[in-house]
Amino acid sequence: MLRSKSFVKRTRKGNVVKVVKEHYLRDDIPCSSPICKSCTHTPVLSEEPKATSGFPSHYIIPDTNVFISQLDIMEHPAIKDVIVLQTVREEVRHLSLPVYNRLNAILADKTKRFYLFANEHQRDTFIEKLKDETPNDRNDRAIRVAAKWYKDHLKANGSGKEIEIVLLTDDRGNREKASATGIKSSGVPEYVESIKDVPELLDMVSAPKAASEEKTVYEEHLTPAQIKNGIKKGTLIQSSFNVSQHNVHEATVVGEVEGEMKTIYILGRKNFNRCIQGDIVAVELLPKSQWKRSASVAIEDEDDEKLYGEEEVEDLKDDPMTDEEAEPTGKVVGIIRKKWRPYCGFIVKNTAPSQGESKGPTNVIFRAIDRRIPPIKIRTAQASTLLGNRIVVAIDSWPVNSGIPLGHFVKVLGSSGDRETETEVLLLEHDVPYQEFSKRVLEDLPVEGDQWIVLDKHLNDENRRDFRDLNVCSIDPPGCTDIDDALHVRTLPNGNYEIGVHIADVTYFVKYGMPMDTEAAARGTSVYLVDKRIDMLPSLLGTNLCSLRSNVDRLAFSCIWEMNEDAEIVNVSFTKSVIRSKFSFTYEEAQTRIDDERMQDDVTKGIRVLNKFAKILRQRRMDAGALTLSSPEVRFRLENDSQDPVDVEMKGLKETNALVEEFMLLANISVAKTIYSKFPSSAMLRKHAPPPTNNFDQLRKTLAEKGFTLETDSSKALADSLDKAVLPDDPYFNNLVRIMTTRCMMQAQYFCSGTEAESDFLHYGLASPIYTHFTSPIRRYAACIESDLAYGHELTDMTKMKELCDNLNFRNRMAQQASRSSVELFTGIYFRNKTEVEEGRVLRVLKNGIIVLVPKYGVESIVYTTSKGSASSPFVYDDDDKSLTAGDIKLKTFDSVKVQISVEGDELGMRQTMKMQLVEPFVEGVSVSVKKRAIEEVEDDSKSKKSKQ
């Protein structure tokens, strides 16, 4: 049956056109119940669905809000035999894409028995919108009509068996209308309560809104229209909300202030106005008299007595700092896009009833592992059994009359302190997809499995060049199995050199649009933890068929340059190829070949030529203004059996690290130019925006006291300033300055070329006008895209490319943070039950402490100069000098100190944190006394390091 509707409309150009919409209705869409005699189908639903204490054997039909508000319950294994109406699925798609994707995942899981019923195309369940009926009311009516049809259909065709239909909705009006037509209905809390054998479901019911009569704590947010208008006029700033790691009552956004991009501070929970770390917010600048004028304070945890920020912002009236010196400060007036997610953490022990005290649901406080997330109030009947465990909680709402957000329990992860549990926590906290690859994805792998080999057809049918006779080799970290790049060099008859970078041809196995490609795009990147790797691709590809291992034929994508003696590019070409790597070197092995003059074989000579060219290329980049930045990185040596860390050391860099880096950078730049010339509106590129000038204000002042000028007008000026920041008697000083400069930088991001002006393509850190990621396709999905683009295949339009870039930026950022969290976890395990005294450097001076970096272990922490719960301290903070003074002892940025390092749990025993205490200089009431011998050992170790440098 065909229904059609026609209407006329005026186009943008003013033309009037007639539009005809056709809607097909069928009477053969099956109900999917095995008890039905009339429908021909393979049933999805069960013949004997579960009964509860309140309902006999039944199928569930939820309305849209059940999926939007109670999705955790719908995902629970206890909920099966659910009919998802087309109307509901489409409404969910329009309301929330993340929920829509999760709903589709449930529908794809055959064990859940969720059936998608196309009610909008079934002749008996399709309904027209009535006059004056809202779209929401029409959809509610469509859900009731479908539920009534199912009830009558199963009764008439049910082979004598009776299965009820239960409409699940929290809308009282909808339930009353359903009852009037003879449909059984239930709210989610009542329905969950009837499932007596799964009591934890009650804890997963989304929290109700706070009572309206409660005291208002926060300002109401502006409406979306007001926010949009304010951003358009320039009175409001749109930005991502980032809470400080060292002060949970201080956050920053980046926006335009007086015509210049600057960092803007948000101080106190009142001004946070119910937004959560990562939210996209609308910020209003405060009057200059209320701008930040003093140093930050270290506050790592919320005080239960002062949750709302009433006493966090100091009185600024008598502050001597001028308006020009004050730092821009604002307040959140609206949330443009919430980035709420499930949070891992624990129940605060003193908020839970003691064993046997209460058997019913009770309100408790949940604290997330991420200190930047505010406490969350949840209601649970299993509080006493959840104590001591890591659990997952989701936020439901944060009303203006609730001091903290309201949420619900999702699931238990495991015991606190267990390494496997803590690793799962950090993966969940950073939204890393770590589940096994699905059967559907694995079906895309070659049927030959690990017996797959390169054949003649790969050369002849795919226009590949054969480089198997060349001295190709790879240079990687020790233990690397996902080798995705290799190099070669040879002399040409004209005296020039041919240099090739060969990248694993992942796209031969992972074609755009296939399930494995969709999965790789969703994962975005491989994630490297201390003790494991979460792969972007199945291991058969990542560590075998795509990996450019030595002495096996492999498919590659090659970037080939002809260069003269001065490393100037004569020409560049790209080709698909077949290679056979001769050696898989580690950085150290390749460095040994360079240094050992006795080795004169062709491969070693080639590495030396590559090293010579890499030095020229690097110097050329430095002359153009590329930055050499730094970050403390450590490597753990793990015990074979337990995988516990037994040693930790700073990662060292060799010439061969720089050798590989230079040619990878050159390949990425060459490919970026090529794909942009071919696809100017849909190329995936990577930019690094210049940092806001006020990001450097504090570092600039501190360096000035040391006699150095920090120029930040351009990356070249900054690079020259960093090169000059050298103290002959302090070899670590320059490295420390570079570490602090790194923290002033913006995050590099992928973007679609058609969405930005060409002048904004700049990669500030590399001083390159254009850049992308063509290398490392085994671990980076962006490189898979670049391979196809470089070969001339346009994959998608500008809109979809932008969406893909947004996801890759998010995945990349989360992967980096997960890696850092893994290092923190293993550092904590290493220092468990041990105390060490080490030399540290002051990175920042706060009002109540100093942030200290210990170079030997690459760890940093706050060293408090006040006791917890006490405001008194022998140290006095000098805001002009940015220093802490006690008698004749002064602590300033860059100073050397000695600290005692240990790991301790909080008073609840649920957080293991790095604890540093001052040893030297010794200040009574702050410093800790340690054995003289321990200090002497640190001094000896420090002297030996300086002599080596």
Side-chain angles (χ1 to χ4, degrees):
M1 179 179 176
L2 176 65
R3 301 173 67 91
S4 64
K5 182 187 293 185
S6 62
F7 57 92
V8 294
K9 72 171 187 177
R10 191 179 296 276
T11 66
R12 288 182 179 179
K13 292 184 178 180
N15 299 326
V16 176
V17 296
K18 182 179 181 180
V19 178
V20 179
K21 284 191 174 182
E22 296 180 336
H23 191 92
Y24 290 88
L25 297 178
R26 298 164 49 184
D27 56 9
D28 61 344
I29 295 175
C31 67
S32 197
S33 173
I35 71 166
C36 178
K37 297 180 297 185
S38 66
C39 296
T40 54
H41 58 282
T42 302
V44 172
L45 302 169
S46 170
E47 188 174 359
E48 296 181 358
K50 190 175 180 179
T52 70
S53 65
F55 302 94
S57 183
H58 62 277
Y59 298 139
I60 306 168
I61 297 183
D63 72 356
T64 305
N65 285 328
V66 169
F67 285 109
I68 294 293
S69 304
Q70 311 282 2
L71 187 58
D72 289 323
I73 287 177
M74 302 310 292
E75 288 176 325
H76 194 279
I79 305 298
K80 297 182 189 295
D81 294 306
V82 175
I83 298 161
V84 180
L85 300 180
Q86 180 189 357
T87 305
V88 169
R89 184 168 175 262
E90 286 304 303
E91 264 198 301
V92 168
R93 183 169 69 87
H94 289 299
L95 291 170
S96 173
L97 195 57
V99 173
Y100 176 73
N101 291 334
R102 286 169 69 184
L103 173 56
N104 285 339
I106 302 174
L107 286 164
D109 183 354
K110 294 179 181 178
T111 65
K112 286 283 288 175
R113 301 197 296 271
F114 273 52
Y115 173 61
L116 179 62
F117 178 63
N119 66 302
E120 296 290 354
H121 292 283
Q122 219 283 353
R123 188 172 57 184
D124 297 324
T125 58
F126 172 77
I127 61 168
E128 294 278 8
K129 180 174 172 289
L130 302 177
K131 186 180 179 182
D132 298 328
E133 188 177 39
T134 66
N136 185 61
D137 287 344
R138 182 263 171 202
N139 289 342
D140 283 347
R141 186 163 60 87
I143 294 168
R144 294 193 301 272
V145 167
K148 181 74 165 61
W149 177 86
Y150 251 100
K151 180 184 180 214
D152 295 341
H153 178 78
L154 291 180
K155 188 173 182 180
N157 303 285
S159 306
K161 291 189 177 181
E162 288 193 12
I163 296 179
E164 291 283 351
I165 297 296
V166 176
L167 175 62
L168 202 59
T169 174
D170 285 326
D171 184 335
R172 183 185 299 173
N174 205 9
R175 291 201 301 270
E176 289 173 353
K177 289 175 183 176
S179 297
T181 58
I183 305 168
K184 286 195 174 181
S185 63
S186 173
V188 175
E190 294 78 22
Y191 182 80
V192 164
E193 194 171 2
S194 72
I195 306 175
K196 300 298 184 184
D197 56 340
V198 193
E200 67 266 23
L201 279 176
L202 269 174
D203 291 351
M204 298 172 67
V205 176
S206 293
K209 305 286 185 183
S212 59
E213 65 270 11
E214 290 184 19
K215 174 188 171 184
T216 298
V217 179
Y218 298 101
E219 290 183 7
E220 290 279 5
H221 289 150
L222 299 182
T223 65
Q226 289 173 316
I227 291 172
K228 187 176 181 180
N229 190 43
I231 292 171
K232 189 175 181 180
K233 287 183 176 180
T235 57
L236 298 180
I237 295 162
Q238 176 178 331
S239 182
S240 178
F241 184 80
N242 291 297
V243 181
S244 167
Q245 294 280 3
H246 302 299
N247 184 345
V248 296
H249 293 161
E250 179 179 289
T252 56
V253 297
V254 175
E256 189 173 312
V257 180
E258 298 172 345
E260 194 175 351
M261 293 302 290
K262 291 189 175 183
T263 298
I264 301 163
Y265 286 86
I266 315 290
L267 305 177
R269 286 281 178 205
K270 279 266 189 179
N271 289 330
F272 286 12
N273 198 4
R274 296 172 287 143
C275 63
I276 305 286
Q277 164 65 26
D279 284 352
I280 307 301
V281 298
V283 171
E284 178 182 272
L285 279 176
L286 294 172
K288 282 194 174 182
S289 59
Q290 297 178 37
W291 282 13
K292 184 176 185 288
R293 285 170 155 74
S294 58
S296 300
V297 179
I299 305 174
E300 292 187 293
D301 264 320
E302 297 273 16
D303 185 331
D304 290 334
E305 299 300 318
K306 302 175 184 176
L307 284 179
Y308 321 132
E310 292 92 335
E311 300 167 301
E312 293 152 15
V313 184
E314 297 180 22
D315 189 357
L316 305 172
K317 293 177 183 174
D318 300 323
D319 198 291
M321 191 181 287
T322 64
D323 283 351
E324 286 70 27
E325 295 174 303
E327 298 180 88
T329 307
K331 66 176 182 178
V332 174
V333 295
I335 300 176
I336 297 169
R337 188 159 65 252
K338 293 175 180 174
K339 293 296 185 77
W340 297 358
R341 57 176 175 80
Y343 299 101
C344 303
F346 56 92
I347 289 175
V348 178
K349 188 175 182 179
N350 59 15
T351 67
S354 56
Q355 285 278 4
E357 186 178 312
S358 172
K359 292 185 178 179
T362 183
N363 290 330
V364 295
I365 300 297
F366 164 89
R367 285 192 185 278
I369 295 297
D370 186 346
R371 297 173 188 273
R372 298 171 299 173
I373 306 302
I376 302 168
K377 184 190 292 183
I378 66 171
R379 189 167 180 80
T380 174
Q382 37 179 349
S384 57
T385 60
L386 294 177
L387 289 175
N389 287 309
R390 297 287 188 227
I391 66 171
V392 178
V393 160
I395 296 177
D396 298 318
S397 64
W398 196 344
V400 292
N401 49 12
S402 176
I404 58 177
L406 311 177
H408 67 268
F409 164 82
V410 176
K411 63 179 177 180
V412 177
L413 296 176
S415 298
S416 167
D418 175 73
R419 191 176 65 234
E420 288 301 317
T421 298
E422 299 298 351
T423 298
E424 186 178 7
V425 165
L426 74 86
L427 291 172
L428 286 168
E429 276 292 283
H430 298 101
D431 199 15
V432 174
Y434 63 99
Q435 67 277 6
E436 294 293 324
F437 290 98
S438 69
K439 184 180 177 182
R440 191 178 175 201
V441 168
L442 296 177
E443 286 172 352
D444 287 338
L445 293 171
V447 293
E448 302 91 340
D450 60 5
Q451 300 301 307
W452 180 92
I453 57 172
V454 174
L455 302 172
D456 290 343
K457 69 175 184 179
H458 295 117
L459 277 169
N460 302 330
D461 299 348
E462 298 170 18
N463 197 27
R464 293 180 183 270
R465 290 182 63 183
D466 192 345
F467 291 135
R468 286 176 289 186
D469 61 320
L470 300 182
N471 287 322
V472 175
C473 64
S474 60
I475 307 174
D476 290 283
C480 179
T481 56
D482 52 344
I483 303 171
D484 44 18
D485 51 68
L487 296 150
H488 90 266
V489 60
R490 64 175 170 178
T491 308
L492 297 173
N494 63 2
N496 287 342
Y497 293 88
E498 178 189 89
I499 295 176
V501 166
H502 309 279
I503 303 300
D505 188 2
V506 172
T507 55
Y508 173 83
F509 299 98
V510 186
K511 297 288 192 292
Y512 185 77
M514 65 195 300
M516 190 185 300
D517 174 75
T518 303
E519 178 70 17
R523 295 188 178 219
T525 179
S526 294
V527 181
Y528 293 83
L529 308 182
V530 170
D531 62 334
K532 66 174 70 175
R533 183 182 66 232
I534 312 297
D535 290 321
M536 182 184 83
L537 298 172
S539 60
L540 177 64
L541 296 185
T543 62
N544 190 344
L545 303 186
C546 289
S547 183
L548 305 182
R549 302 188 299 186
S550 56
N551 301 315
V552 289
D553 293 352
R554 287 291 179 254
L555 303 180
F557 197 113
S558 301
C559 177
I560 309 294
W561 300 279
E562 180 183 342
M563 292 187 184
N564 63 21
E565 191 71 35
D566 297 322
E568 294 171 333
I569 298 173
V570 178
N571 60 61
V572 60
S573 63
F574 305 96
T575 180
K576 293 202 170 186
S577 61
V578 177
I579 68 167
R580 186 179 182 89
S581 174
K582 299 296 187 291
F583 293 95
S584 298
F585 293 118
T586 65
Y587 290 121
E588 192 165 343
E589 288 169 345
Q591 189 66 51
T592 300
R593 288 200 170 223
I594 291 173
D595 298 338
D596 190 345
E597 295 180 0
R598 295 170 299 176
M599 302 193 75
Q600 295 298 326
D601 58 278
D602 289 344
V603 172
T604 301
K605 287 179 181 178
I607 295 174
R608 290 184 183 130
V609 172
L610 290 170
N611 194 41
K612 182 186 83 168
F613 278 34
K615 288 179 179 179
I616 297 172
L617 293 170
R618 183 176 181 80
Q619 189 56 53
R620 197 172 289 157
R621 284 198 307 109
M622 296 300 110
D623 293 343
L627 298 173
T628 303
L629 301 176
S630 183
S631 60
E633 294 187 57
V634 296
R635 179 187 293 114
F636 291 91
R637 186 161 60 86
L638 304 179
E639 190 177 52
N640 289 336
D641 295 331
S642 68
Q643 290 292 288
D644 284 339
V646 294
D647 194 15
V648 57
E649 61 183 9
M650 292 296 294
K651 288 183 181 177
L653 296 179
K654 301 181 181 298
E655 280 187 3
T656 45
N657 290 81
L659 183 162
V660 174
E661 179 186 24
E662 288 306 318
F663 285 107
M664 297 307 116
L665 291 176
L666 187 62
N668 289 335
I669 292 169
S670 298
V671 168
K673 292 176 181 176
T674 299
I675 63 174
Y676 180 54
S677 67
K678 290 181 177 178
F679 308 110
S681 64
S682 61
M684 180 185 287
L685 301 175
R686 188 164 175 83
K687 67 176 181 177
H688 182 213
T693 54
N694 68 332
N695 278 17
F696 295 102
D697 287 352
Q698 190 53 54
L699 181 58
R700 188 183 290 112
K701 291 176 186 175
T702 309
L703 282 173
E705 295 174 7
K706 296 282 188 181
F708 300 108
T709 302
L710 189 68
E711 300 288 350
T712 58
D713 294 338
S714 66
S715 62
K716 173 63 175 169
L718 178 57
D720 292 342
S721 298
L722 295 176
D723 289 341
K724 294 172 184 175
V726 176
L727 294 177
D729 59 343
D730 186 355
Y732 193 71
F733 176 77
N734 185 261
N735 194 39
L736 196 61
V737 173
R738 292 180 191 275
I739 289 172
M740 296 171 73
T741 303
T742 302
R743 299 178 184 193
C744 299
M745 294 291 140
M746 304 293 284
Q747 186 103 20
Q749 292 190 316
Y750 298 109
F751 69 99
C752 177
S753 56
T755 63
E756 302 276 352
E758 192 170 335
S759 58
D760 294 330
F761 288 9
L762 172 73
H763 195 294
Y764 179 82
L766 297 174
S768 176
I770 193 167
Y771 190 67
T772 194
H773 272 160
F774 161 67
T775 56
S776 303
I778 293 176
R779 63 181 177 86
R780 250 184 335 219
Y781 184 74
C784 299
I785 293 292
E786 309 305 3
S787 295
D788 273 329
L789 292 173
Y791 206 62
H793 298 154
E794 185 170 25
L795 301 176
T796 185
D797 59 27
M798 186 169 68
T799 303
K800 289 182 179 176
M801 185 63 84
K802 182 183 181 304
E803 292 173 358
L804 180 58
C805 288
D806 290 343
N807 179 64
L808 295 183
N809 288 329
F810 171 73
R811 292 297 178 202
N812 203 42
R813 188 167 61 251
M814 291 298 101
Q816 291 174 351
Q817 292 176 12
S819 296
R820 284 197 287 266
S821 294
S822 181
V823 170
E824 290 173 9
L825 171 62
F826 275 77
T827 303
I829 294 172
Y830 175 77
F831 279 104
R832 194 180 289 167
N833 302 322
K834 70 170 69 172
T835 300
E836 294 193 15
V837 176
E838 290 294 340
E839 183 175 2
R841 302 299 293 263
V842 178
L843 290 179
R844 189 178 174 194
V845 178
L846 307 170
K847 278 190 173 181
N848 60 338
I850 52 176
I851 298 174
V852 173
L853 168 70
V854 177
K856 180 177 178 180
Y857 296 117
V859 296
E860 67 180 81
S861 185
I862 298 170
V863 176
Y864 286 97
T865 54
T866 57
S867 302
K868 192 166 185 182
S870 169
S872 62
S873 170
F875 281 97
V876 176
Y877 179 75
D878 185 334
D879 200 37
D880 294 329
D881 198 31
K882 297 295 185 288
S883 65
L884 285 167
T885 305
D888 58 352
I889 292 172
K890 180 181 283 192
L891 296 176
K892 298 194 69 176
T893 303
F894 299 126
D895 283 356
S896 292
V897 295
K898 286 188 177 67
V899 292
Q900 178 175 281
I901 309 171
S902 60
V903 170
E904 66 170 18
D906 56 17
E907 64 273 16
L908 306 171
M910 293 302 291
R911 279 199 185 113
Q912 295 288 319
T913 56
M914 180 72 63
K915 182 180 181 181
M916 288 189 193
Q917 293 173 284
L918 191 63
V919 175
E920 287 189 359
F922 186 82
V923 177
E924 192 70 42
V926 173
S927 301
V928 294
S929 298
V930 297
K931 292 179 181 178
K932 182 179 179 183
R933 182 180 166 192
I935 296 176
E936 288 173 349
E937 286 175 356
V938 173
E939 289 173 345
D940 291 342
D941 188 43
S942 178
K943 287 175 183 175
S944 70
K945 277 184 186 172
K946 287 182 179 178
S947 66
K948 288 177 184 176
Q949 290 170 329

